[in-house]
Amino acid sequence: MKLDFVHISDIGQHLGREVTVKGWLYNKRSSGKIHFLQIRDGTGVIQGVMVKNEVGEEIFALGDRVTQESSIIVRGLVKEDQRAPSGYELGVTGLQIVQLTQDYPITPKEHGPAFLMEHRHLWMRSSKQHAILRIRDTIEQAIHAYLHKEGFIHTPAPILTPTACEGTTTLFQTDYFGEPAYLSQSGQMYIEATAAAFGKVYTFTPAFRAEKSKTRRHLTELWMMDAEASYFEHAENMQCQEGMICAIVERVLNERQFELKTLERDTKPLERIRAPFPVISYKEAVELCNKAGVPIRYGEDFGAPHDTAIAGSFERPVFVDRFPAEIKSFYMQPDPKDPSVVLGSDLYAPEGYGEIIGGSQRIHDLDLLLKKMEQHKVPYEPYKWYVDLRRYGSVPHSGFGIGIERTVSWMCGLQHIREAIPFARMLEKIYP
RNA sequence: UCCAGCGUAGCUCAAUGGUAGAGCCCCCGGCUGUUAACCGGGUUGUUGUAGGUUCGAGCCCUACCGCUGGAGCCA
């Protein structure tokens, strides 16, 4: 076959020309002497129309034999046609079967979640899964673009760490040349160091949580984007988060309408997302929950029903600000007006998708940090390097971390977080 | 770890304690515009495992295993 090879996503630019598409057979319908081949190539799906009188017996027989998910190279004339699912179709002139697939497990009918997850390596070829992972890519691109526009640079953080970042009960432990090492739960503390070197930085890292959580919102391996900025105070930090969320929503709405439609995502709630986001204090959030009939005492952290009550009261993402110091990490800067609370906020997504961002201003005063470490029983030796940052040119600084899969779930309107990542790692599940 | 629900054909599901079935997939045949195509025919089972109750168990009981959802914890 000749070389004028095109991607299906660009097919509209080749109207009236004979082109070659390399891909897989997504589905086939046949009506006597016409085969309708739904061809996918990773960039899109196009209908190939194969007419017996036009291609001859031999090629038509190939079209008869080709099965779902066989890899194929198809040659054809690009046409516009209202009867085709995408508006364009390929008048097939040639077909080459690269590999003939037998008994593809995922059929065009319904399957249960256990079966689909067992075949995740194949399931991601299906249109909805494909749409989700495209949107995920767009979200990640939007984050990179927004942060670079704001002057941040990407500085990777390590995944193997000698110590716990937060808590010790939910860590995955591994062996590092005879010493225990842990899979990182967050890159945050490391980018406090790179922030002191570069000013504004961020990192994409997987975060590992060995929690025995078995819900639609939990993974044991999730992706976080942590950002950190020197000379950034709490209010600026929140403004940056708000700007980033708006940039994500805008880009997904602009570039991924087809995928949102595939997912049957109602985009109206997304179109309402614009700055400024409401900000309520932890104290106000507690009062809101109690009024909404979801009781909680001051000093307790929010559970799933509280998330829903808080986020459900607003059409835009809402910041809950100034949590009590005792339920947050040791490094958070106390509020100068009320030292019992910290300059730390969580951002809750609308529509019940829960907490997607946690951020705070970090303690920059050496003595205060040492005091807080002692109070929280954080050992000094393994964190000596972290304390050093307060010893050598310490400045006020702030940062935040966003959970990528929760953001993807929200944007796509997913029922379960396992679909937001190509290979979900969940409680006692590691195949495929 | 705890609570609830569910395990029947490759998949999705039926089946008063009384002969295990349908649709899809797959195979054969038909159809020149299909849209999860359609129409006709065909193949497919140690009913999760082990024990128990019963004349008789897919169905009732016990234990175990697996799956799904939720709680706590968290993003």
Side-chain angles (χ1 to χ4, degrees):
Chain A
M1 287 190 188
K2 279 177 253 166
L3 269 180
D4 34 7
F5 156 61
V6 299
H7 292 294
I8 291 170
S9 55
D10 303 329
I11 210 92
Q13 299 163 22
H14 302 277
L15 259 182
R17 285 175 46 199
E18 195 174 8
V19 298
T20 300
V21 169
K22 298 178 183 178
W24 296 263
L25 186 72
Y26 191 63
N27 197 7
K28 180 174 72 175
R29 291 180 282 269
S30 182
S31 176
K33 311 240 169 358
I34 303 185
H35 295 312
F36 298 94
L37 310 173
Q38 311 303 321
I39 306 152
R40 64 169 192 89
D41 73 346
T43 73
V45 178
I46 190 167
Q47 172 162 276
V49 182
M50 184 189 273
V51 182
K52 193 173 188 177
N53 286 348
E54 294 169 9
V55 294
E57 295 278 349
E58 204 175 312
I59 291 174
F60 195 78
L62 265 188
D64 200 39
R65 216 172 73 219
V66 68
T67 53
Q68 188 192 358
E69 284 303 322
S70 286
S71 37
I72 52 176
I73 297 174
V74 184
R75 191 152 177 82
L77 186 68
V78 182
K79 302 173 188 172
E80 240 173 331
D81 197 310
Q82 288 306 309
R83 293 169 296 185
S86 72
Y88 294 108
E89 63 180 28
L90 213 53
V92 175
T93 55
L95 171 67
Q96 181 194 334
I97 298 175
V98 179
Q99 192 231 348
L100 189 67
T101 288
Q102 300 292 352
D103 299 319
Y104 187 69
I106 301 176
T107 66
K109 283 281 177 179
E110 283 166 40
H111 300 285
F115 178 82
L116 290 169
M117 285 306 287
E118 212 37 38
H119 295 84
R120 183 58 171 167
H121 50 300
L122 305 174
W123 187 26
M124 60 179 72
R125 302 178 184 189
S126 302
S127 62
K128 284 194 181 177
Q129 299 308 310
H130 195 263
I132 293 164
L133 297 177
R134 279 243 170 229
I135 289 172
R136 180 189 173 112
D137 172 67
T138 298
I139 289 168
E140 290 183 357
Q141 290 304 310
I143 292 172
H144 283 293
Y146 176 79
L147 290 173
H148 274 101
K149 194 190 82 191
E150 295 294 314
F152 287 74
I153 74 160
H154 185 206
T155 61
I159 290 164
L160 286 168
T161 59
T163 47
C165 198
E166 309 168 22
T168 49
T169 53
T170 61
L171 282 169
F172 283 105
Q173 190 179 325
T174 184
D175 175 80
Y176 195 77
F177 303 108
E179 294 294 318
Y182 305 93
L183 299 183
S184 172
Q185 293 188 315
S186 161
Q188 183 221 310
M189 295 175 92
Y190 286 97
I191 63 166
E192 285 187 53
T194 61
F198 296 95
K200 291 170 153 187
V201 298
Y202 71 98
T203 181
F204 267 86
T205 44
F208 301 91
R209 308 279 164 95
E211 286 156 10
K212 301 260 184 193
S213 298
K214 208 183 162 192
T215 78
R216 68 177 72 186
R217 291 154 76 159
H218 288 85
L219 295 168
T220 57
E221 180 181 317
L222 58 116
W223 282 80
M224 296 267 290
M225 191 292 295
D226 283 287
E228 194 73 28
S230 300
Y231 292 107
F232 234 41
E233 302 214 14
H234 187 51
E236 242 176 322
N237 189 33
M238 287 164 73
Q239 215 168 53
C240 183
Q241 296 166 42
E242 183 180 85
M244 190 184 75
I245 294 294
C246 290
I248 291 169
V249 172
E250 194 186 329
R251 186 143 172 180
V252 169
L253 285 174
N254 281 341
E255 297 181 6
R256 299 269 84 100
Q257 278 297 326
F258 175 80
E259 284 77 9
L260 291 167
K261 208 173 165 186
T262 300
L263 294 169
E264 297 170 72
R265 174 68 161 112
D266 178 8
T267 56
K268 283 193 199 77
L270 297 179
E271 284 154 18
R272 285 196 287 263
I273 309 301
R274 55 175 65 92
F277 296 168
V279 182
I280 61 172
S281 67
Y282 168 84
K283 191 163 166 258
E284 289 167 321
V286 167
E287 285 162 12
L288 188 155
C289 287
N290 283 313
K291 267 186 210 161
V294 194
I296 184 167
R297 280 198 303 272
Y298 188 93
E300 290 177 335
D301 213 343
F302 301 118
H306 307 108
D307 288 12
T308 309
I310 295 164
S313 308
F314 302 92
E315 286 196 337
R316 300 177 186 184
V318 54
F319 285 107
V320 178
D321 192 22
R322 288 173 162 78
F323 281 81
E326 59 268 25
I327 58 170
K328 286 292 180 183
S329 298
F330 71 91
Y331 50 71
M332 291 193 186
Q333 177 74 35
D335 183 356
K337 288 182 197 141
D338 174 6
S340 75
V341 300
V342 291
L343 298 177
S345 60
D346 286 347
L347 184 71
Y348 292 86
E351 302 174 81
Y353 283 94
E355 186 186 342
I356 54 171
I357 294 182
S360 69
Q361 183 165 335
R362 327 301 191 188
I363 293 173
H364 59 280
D365 181 79
L366 175 63
D367 292 334
L368 181 58
L369 184 70
L370 290 171
K371 193 178 124 199
K372 289 283 178 186
M373 284 172 68
E374 211 178 301
Q375 278 173 10
H376 283 80
K377 297 192 170 61
V378 177
Y380 174 75
E381 266 315 306
Y383 287 102
K384 186 172 170 292
W385 68 271
Y386 186 71
V387 175
D388 268 357
L389 302 175
R390 277 72 182 171
R391 232 186 279 272
Y392 306 112
S394 188
V395 298
H397 62 289
S398 307
F400 63 92
I402 180 170
I404 301 299
E405 287 77 19
R406 284 209 180 157
T407 306
V408 173
S409 293
W410 167 42
M411 295 306 289
C412 295
L414 302 185
Q415 293 300 307
H416 200 298
I417 199 163
R418 65 186 157 215
E419 297 180 31
I421 184 167
F423 294 98
R425 294 290 172 254
M426 291 178 299
L427 186 58
E428 285 160 11
K429 272 215 171 341
I430 199 163
Y431 179 91

